[in-house]
Amino acid sequence: MTATRIDGKAFAASVREKVTAHVATLKADHGLIPGLAVVLVGEDPASQVYVRSKGKLTQEVGMKSVEHKLGAETQEADLLSLIDALNSDETIHGILVQLPLPKHLNEDLVINAIDPTKDVDGFHISNVGLLGTGQKSMVPCTPLGCLMMLRDHHGSLSGMNAVVVGRSNIVGKPMAQLLLGDSCTVTIAHSRTKELSDVVRRADIVVAAVGRPEMVGGDWIKPGATVIDVGINRIDAGVKEDGSPKTRLVGDVDFASASEVAGAITPVPGGVGPMTIACLLANTLTACCRVNGLPEPEGLTA
């Protein structure tokens, strides 16, 4: 068996097309332009690249894009004051504070200062609680992207046995809640789960988000299962011709062996990653519709 490759890059492009069309309708019919504000504190190179990509794609779908770049020495009071101003800005419907923050800043305090209706990352404690109790919330982007791809591949997920490997607040826990919401039977497993391979092998759906390179091997996968690999790990791949270190990106799943057993699988790169920013745009659109009492965009929410 060779698994169907779930193309996250192509799926993300289709999500952005839907967002673009809905934004154009909002603009034409209601004079509304969804606005996304991204706050970057410090000089982390990976975060800088990510923020630039978010800004570019936000503009491409017709939304308002605002970036606030603050120095690494920014004091907590100044950051909270900026968030308060963005909370009050009616042209801004989504606020994202890029993580990680410098160590002298309290991430929980900063995230929970964001208006929950503008919390397009879905990390505010109010949104966590709403999601956990099955109520309408802003949903974290990566789990939302995984859910979209699973629905697209399977249609109904009702009654399927799902195992989420990883218990983080960003992916593992909200992913489990979303799968429960779609009537899956869900197990949250992690690195300390006893007989972990046996637990994973019972799953119709495996979502790997544990942060360990290629930990989930093909012999862990039930034949025909769908595997969503959230992991992004950079590992050593020898040396270049000039003698400098060579690296490559891999997921939490051993793609080569798992793709021989699974029914469908996401690659790394090109799987879940592109969906995260696409879902950030979808969340911003959803937030704009909700605050203005308009119907939510079909197929772009949980």
Side-chain angles (χ1 to χ4, degrees):
M1 176 185 294
T2 300
T4 299
R5 188 185 181 102
I6 299 176
D7 189 340
K9 189 174 181 180
F11 196 88
S14 72
V15 170
R16 292 196 303 273
E17 286 178 6
K18 292 177 183 177
V19 171
T20 301
H22 207 100
V23 168
T25 299
L26 281 182
K27 196 178 301 184
D29 294 353
H30 304 282
L32 289 171
I33 301 176
L36 172 65
V38 178
V39 179
L40 174 64
V41 185
E43 306 293 332
D44 182 77
S47 292
Q48 289 179 329
V49 171
Y50 200 42
V51 166
R52 281 198 299 272
S53 179
K54 287 173 181 174
K56 178 175 179 288
L57 291 172
T58 302
Q59 292 175 337
E60 285 183 1
V61 299
M63 292 184 182
K64 175 181 178 179
S65 175
V66 176
E67 293 180 11
H68 292 273
K69 297 180 180 179
L70 308 179
E73 73 287 350
T74 297
Q75 295 302 300
E76 198 163 77
D78 295 326
L79 177 54
L80 293 174
S81 178
L82 171 60
I83 291 172
D84 187 54
L86 293 172
N87 284 340
S88 301
D89 187 340
E90 293 184 357
T91 70
I92 297 298
H93 304 93
I95 302 170
L96 182 148
V97 176
Q98 183 65 42
L99 302 179
L101 291 172
K103 291 185 178 180
H104 69 282
L105 299 174
N106 183 326
E107 288 190 356
D108 289 338
L109 179 66
V110 170
I111 294 304
N112 289 321
I114 298 171
D115 181 340
T117 66
K118 297 187 178 188
D119 168 38
V120 287
D121 250 344
F123 296 161
H124 191 288
I125 191 65
S126 293
N127 283 317
V128 173
L130 290 168
L131 177 61
T133 53
Q135 300 179 69
K136 185 179 291 186
S137 67
M138 297 306 301
V139 178
C141 301
T142 299
L144 177 58
C146 295
L147 182 69
M148 285 182 179
M149 289 191 290
L150 285 167
R151 285 173 172 173
D152 180 72
H153 183 72
H154 285 287
S156 173
L157 306 182
S158 180
M160 299 184 76
N161 187 7
V163 170
V164 179
V165 187
R167 50 182 168 175
S168 73
N169 293 330
I170 295 174
V171 179
K173 291 175 184 175
M175 186 75 249
Q177 294 293 345
L178 289 173
L179 290 166
L180 280 171
D182 269 30
S183 298
C184 290
T185 299
V186 182
T187 300
I188 301 179
H190 45 81
S191 59
R192 295 189 182 183
T193 299
K194 292 182 179 180
E195 308 297 338
L196 178 57
S197 60
D198 291 339
V199 172
V200 174
R201 201 174 292 116
R202 294 196 291 269
D204 305 307
I205 295 169
V206 178
V207 180
V210 72
R212 295 194 178 187
E214 300 180 321
M215 186 181 84
V216 179
D219 58 340
W220 289 27
I221 304 300
K222 175 182 177 180
T226 300
V227 179
I228 305 294
D229 191 352
V230 181
I232 301 178
N233 309 285
R234 190 171 293 278
I235 65 171
D236 179 65
V239 295
K240 299 178 182 178
E241 291 183 3
D242 62 3
S244 61
K246 186 178 180 181
T247 62
R248 65 187 179 93
L249 288 177
V250 299
D252 292 348
V253 177
D254 179 2
F255 184 85
S257 62
S259 60
E260 294 298 317
V261 184
I265 189 170
T266 58
V268 176
V272 173
M275 285 296 294
T276 298
I277 295 182
C279 288
L280 172 65
L281 302 176
N283 274 353
T284 303
L285 172 59
T286 297
C288 178
C289 290
R290 286 178 180 174
V291 76
N292 286 284
L294 298 171
E296 297 180 12
E298 188 175 347
L300 297 178
T301 63

Short mmCIF file of all heavy atoms in Angstrom, two decimals, residues 3 9 14 41 43 100 126 140 170 203 210 229 231 248 261 269 276 281 289:
data_model
loop_
_atom_site.label_atom_id
_atom_site.label_comp_id
_atom_site.label_asym_id
_atom_site.label_seq_id
_atom_site.Cartn_x
_atom_site.Cartn_y
_atom_site.Cartn_z
N ALA A 3 0.45 5.31 0.56
CA ALA A 3 -0.55 6.24 1.08
C ALA A 3 -0.82 7.39 0.11
O ALA A 3 0.06 7.84 -0.62
CB ALA A 3 -0.08 6.81 2.41
N LYS A 9 -0.16 22.26 1.00
CA LYS A 9 0.11 23.50 0.27
C LYS A 9 -1.04 23.83 -0.67
O LYS A 9 -1.52 24.98 -0.72
CB LYS A 9 1.41 23.36 -0.51
CG LYS A 9 1.91 24.64 -1.15
CD LYS A 9 3.27 24.44 -1.79
CE LYS A 9 3.78 25.74 -2.41
NZ LYS A 9 5.11 25.57 -3.03
N SER A 14 -6.45 26.72 -1.52
CA SER A 14 -7.91 26.73 -1.71
C SER A 14 -8.60 27.46 -0.57
O SER A 14 -9.61 28.14 -0.79
CB SER A 14 -8.43 25.29 -1.83
OG SER A 14 -8.39 24.61 -0.59
N VAL A 41 7.88 40.93 19.14
CA VAL A 41 8.78 41.51 20.14
C VAL A 41 10.12 40.79 20.05
O VAL A 41 10.19 39.57 20.23
CB VAL A 41 8.22 41.36 21.57
CG1 VAL A 41 9.13 42.07 22.57
CG2 VAL A 41 6.80 41.91 21.66
N GLU A 43 14.08 39.97 18.14
CA GLU A 43 14.76 39.80 16.85
C GLU A 43 14.86 38.34 16.41
O GLU A 43 15.73 37.99 15.62
CB GLU A 43 16.18 40.40 16.94
CG GLU A 43 16.24 41.84 17.43
CD GLU A 43 15.64 42.80 16.44
OE1 GLU A 43 15.65 42.48 15.23
OE2 GLU A 43 15.14 43.87 16.86
N PRO A 100 7.82 32.71 20.47
CA PRO A 100 7.95 33.01 21.90
C PRO A 100 8.28 34.48 22.13
O PRO A 100 8.82 35.16 21.26
CB PRO A 100 9.12 32.12 22.31
CG PRO A 100 9.97 32.03 21.08
CD PRO A 100 9.01 32.01 19.93
N SER A 126 -10.28 32.19 27.83
CA SER A 126 -11.72 32.13 27.55
C SER A 126 -12.01 31.25 26.34
O SER A 126 -12.96 30.45 26.36
CB SER A 126 -12.28 33.54 27.31
OG SER A 126 -12.22 34.31 28.49
N PRO A 140 -7.49 27.47 17.77
CA PRO A 140 -6.09 27.53 17.35
C PRO A 140 -5.89 27.09 15.90
O PRO A 140 -6.51 26.12 15.45
CB PRO A 140 -5.39 26.59 18.33
CG PRO A 140 -6.23 26.64 19.56
CD PRO A 140 -7.65 26.76 19.05
N ILE A 170 -1.11 24.18 22.64
CA ILE A 170 -1.20 24.80 21.32
C ILE A 170 -1.79 23.85 20.28
O ILE A 170 -2.56 24.26 19.42
CB ILE A 170 0.19 25.29 20.88
CG1 ILE A 170 0.66 26.43 21.81
CG2 ILE A 170 0.18 25.77 19.44
CD1 ILE A 170 2.09 26.88 21.55
N ALA A 203 -5.47 3.26 16.00
CA ALA A 203 -6.15 4.47 15.54
C ALA A 203 -6.48 4.46 14.05
O ALA A 203 -5.66 4.06 13.22
CB ALA A 203 -5.28 5.69 15.85
N VAL A 210 4.24 15.70 18.81
CA VAL A 210 5.00 15.45 20.03
C VAL A 210 6.36 16.13 20.02
O VAL A 210 7.02 16.26 21.04
CB VAL A 210 5.15 13.92 20.24
CG1 VAL A 210 6.14 13.33 19.25
CG2 VAL A 210 5.54 13.58 21.67
N ASP A 229 0.77 14.74 10.31
CA ASP A 229 2.06 14.98 10.96
C ASP A 229 2.25 16.48 11.19
O ASP A 229 2.50 17.24 10.26
CB ASP A 229 3.19 14.42 10.08
CG ASP A 229 4.53 14.39 10.80
OD1 ASP A 229 4.63 14.94 11.92
OD2 ASP A 229 5.48 13.81 10.25
N GLY A 231 4.57 17.74 13.27
CA GLY A 231 5.95 18.03 13.65
C GLY A 231 6.76 18.74 12.57
O GLY A 231 6.63 18.44 11.38
N ARG A 248 17.96 19.02 7.15
CA ARG A 248 16.70 18.83 6.44
C ARG A 248 15.56 18.81 7.44
O ARG A 248 15.76 18.54 8.62
CB ARG A 248 16.72 17.55 5.60
CG ARG A 248 16.82 16.26 6.39
CD ARG A 248 17.00 15.07 5.46
NE ARG A 248 17.12 13.82 6.20
CZ ARG A 248 16.10 13.01 6.49
NH1 ARG A 248 14.87 13.32 6.08
NH2 ARG A 248 16.27 11.89 7.16
N VAL A 261 2.20 2.09 4.76
CA VAL A 261 1.16 1.42 5.55
C VAL A 261 -0.13 2.24 5.60
O VAL A 261 -1.23 1.70 5.49
CB VAL A 261 1.66 1.17 6.99
CG1 VAL A 261 0.60 0.39 7.78
CG2 VAL A 261 2.97 0.42 6.99
N PRO A 269 8.25 18.95 4.67
CA PRO A 269 7.32 20.09 4.68
C PRO A 269 6.19 19.91 3.65
O PRO A 269 6.18 18.93 2.91
CB PRO A 269 8.22 21.27 4.29
CG PRO A 269 9.28 20.65 3.43
CD PRO A 269 9.53 19.27 3.99
N THR A 276 -1.49 26.52 8.60
CA THR A 276 -1.55 27.34 9.80
C THR A 276 -1.83 28.80 9.47
O THR A 276 -2.72 29.43 10.06
CB THR A 276 -0.25 27.19 10.61
OG1 THR A 276 -0.10 25.83 11.02
CG2 THR A 276 -0.27 28.07 11.85
N LEU A 281 -5.83 33.47 8.60
CA LEU A 281 -6.63 34.38 7.77
C LEU A 281 -8.11 34.05 7.90
O LEU A 281 -8.96 34.95 8.00
CB LEU A 281 -6.18 34.27 6.32
CG LEU A 281 -4.70 34.58 6.04
CD1 LEU A 281 -4.39 34.33 4.57
CD2 LEU A 281 -4.35 36.00 6.43
N CYS A 289 -16.73 38.72 10.91
CA CYS A 289 -18.15 38.40 10.69
C CYS A 289 -18.91 38.34 12.01
O CYS A 289 -20.02 38.87 12.12
CB CYS A 289 -18.27 37.07 9.95
SG CYS A 289 -17.72 37.12 8.22
#
